[in-house]
Amino acid sequence: MCNGVVLGVDIGTSSTKAVALGLDGRILGTATRLHGVERDQPGQVSMDGEMWWAEFVDLCTELSLHAPEGFAAVGVSGMGPTLMLCDDEGHGVASAALYGVDSRSVEQIRQLEDLFGADEIYRTGDSYLSTQSVGPKFAWFRQHRPEAYASARTFHMPASLLVQRLTGEYVLDHQSAGQCTPLYDSGRLDWYPDRCELVAPGITFPRLAWAGDRAGEVTSAVAAGVPGLRAGAPVTVGSIDAWAEAYSVGATDVGDLMVMYGTTMCLVATQDHRVRHPMIWGSPGLEPGRWSLSGGMGTSGAITAWMRDLLGSSTYDSLTCDASASGPGARGLLMLPYFDGERTPILDPGARGTICGLTVRHTRGDLFRATLESVGYAVRHHLEAFREAGVGPDRAVAVGGGVRSSLSAQLVSDITGLPQQITRVTIGASYGDAHLAARLVTDVPAVAEWNPVVRIIEPCPEPAYEELYGLYRQLYEATSGIQHALAAYGPGTRKGPKTCRSPALWMSVDGPRCPPPGNLRNARRSRWTWPAPRPADGSRSARCRRGTSWGSRCGPAWGSPSRTLPDPTSPGHAKGASPVNRFVPL
C-alpha cells in the first residue's frame, strides 16, 4: 500500500483545506477554497452547510490527479461544535449555527440551567453552559425557527455531514459529542437519553465512536459521481478541527498543549484523566484514554485581518515590519481582543474590542503591534486558567496559519514565557485527517515521525509585559460595563433602548455600588462580593452560580425583558462576604 494516496479535508471558519498524502509520508498536493460566514442578525454567526459538501467535491476533484486509482482512504474534520439541523437524508433545513462565536442562545442557556441545574451540568459534562454549547442552540431553533425545527430529524457538524454523504453512516465522535453540553455524559461516554428528549425532541442522535475509527466506506453511488473517490475506501469518523490540528503536530500525549493560530485562537491541553475548570471546556480527547481541557478566543487571526484591511495594507509583511519597530507595549497602546464577544476564559458574549491609550502620535505599526500583543495576553490568561485546574503543559506545539508570522508567535512566547515547538508541516487539521485515514489502510509511522519538530520559539523576557498584562486584566474589569452598554448600539441592534435591557445598563443607572460584570476572579477583587448566597427559598434570582457576567449567566439574558437587579446593599452583597467555591469535585 506504500504507493497509495489518502485524502484529508478540513472545513474551517474561513476556508476548506485539503491535502493529498502519499502512504510514504510525502505531501503530493494541497488545495483551498475560501468562504465566509453569515451574520444576518446580532449574535448569529451561521454558514450554509450544503456548501461543505460542495467544497469537498470540488477539492477532491482537484486533487484527484494525484490519485489516478482513487484515494485509498478519506479523513475529515471541521469547525465545531456546530449545529446543522437536517432531515432524514442529511440535507440541511436551516443554516448551521457555528461554535462559540455564535451567541444566539444566551437566553436558552439560562432556561437549561434552570431546568437541569448549572452545577449538575458542570459535574456531569465537565463544562458549564456557554455559547460554545450545542444544547441551548437546539432550544433556540425550537423557539425561534419552529418550522425548520419541525422538519429536522438529525443534526450534523461538518465532519459528520461529510461522513454521511460519503458512507451513509450517521456517526459522531466522542470529542464533538462532549461539547454538546448538556446532552452528553462524560462519565459514561454516552448521550443522556432523557435530556436529549427534553431539549431536542424528535431528533435522532448519532451513534458515537472515536475520531480515528472507521465510520464506513465510500458508497458506489458517491464514488461514481466524484472524481478521486474509490468505492469501498474507508472513511474516518473525524472530529473538530482543533483536535485534528493537535494530532497533526503530534500534540496528543499527556502534558501536551496545542496552540492553534487560526481565524480564532484555540488551545487544547491533553491529560489521561477527566479535568475541568469553570471558565474553560472539559471534554473527552481525540482517542480513548485521553481527556482535554481547552479554550478558544472569539477572534485572533480575524482581528489581524480586520486591522490589515482597516489600515489599508495589502500584505502583512509591511505591517509586521512596522509593528516590530514599534517595540514592546506598542508605545503605550493596549487592546482587548474581544471584537466578537469573548469565549474563554471570560465567557462574555457582550464583551467588545477596546483600544486604550491612543494619541495622534501613534502609527499603524503601533496599532498592529497592539493587536498582536492582545492575542498574547489572551493566551496568557488561558494558561493561568489551565494552571488553576492543575494542568501545567510540559510542552507546547504551535500550528496554523499564524505560525507563518514570526512576530505573532514570538510575541505569544515573550508575553507568556512559553517556548513553542514548530513542526516541519504546519498545514494543520487536513494533514492530521490524512494521517488518521492512512492508519485505516496500513501501518504507518506515528505522525511525529512524519512531521518532526524543526525549531523552537524561545521567549525573550521583556519586563514591560508583566506590568502590561496586569493592565490588560484591569482594562476588562474597568470597561466591561461600558462594553455591554455600547453593544446595544452595535450593528443590527435597536439603538437607544427605552428600558434597561442589559445588565450593564442597570449598572450605570443603579450606581457604582452594583457588582461589576465579569468572572468570579473579578468579583474577588471588587469591593462587593458576588455572587450572593442562594436565598432561603431556593430561588435563583439573587445568586450567580459562577460569577460570570450578568448578561450571560444571571438575571435576564442579553436582550431579554427587564428584571429587578438584586439590591447591592443587601447582606449578600456586603463587603467582605465570602464568595462561593467555583470548583465542583468530580
Side-chain angles (χ1 to χ4, degrees), residues 341-358:
E342 185 57 303
R343 297 190 285 168
T344 56
I346 65 171
L347 302 177
D348 186 357
R352 292 295 181 266
T354 302
I355 303 174
C356 185
L358 270 173

Side-chain angles (χ1 to χ4, degrees), residues 107 110 503 506 540-541 543 550 553-557 560 563-564 566:
E107 171 63 16
R110 184 189 65 78
W506 290 322
R540 182 178 184 275
S541 60
R543 178 178 184 250
W550 286 88
R553 285 294 179 271
C554 292
S560 63
R563 287 188 182 178
T564 301

Side-chain angles (χ1 to χ4, degrees), residues 86-105:
C86 298
D87 59 22
D88 282 324
E89 297 181 352
H91 297 290
V93 299
S95 292
L98 298 196
Y99 49 96
V101 296
D102 178 284
S103 58
R104 71 182 70 195
S105 58

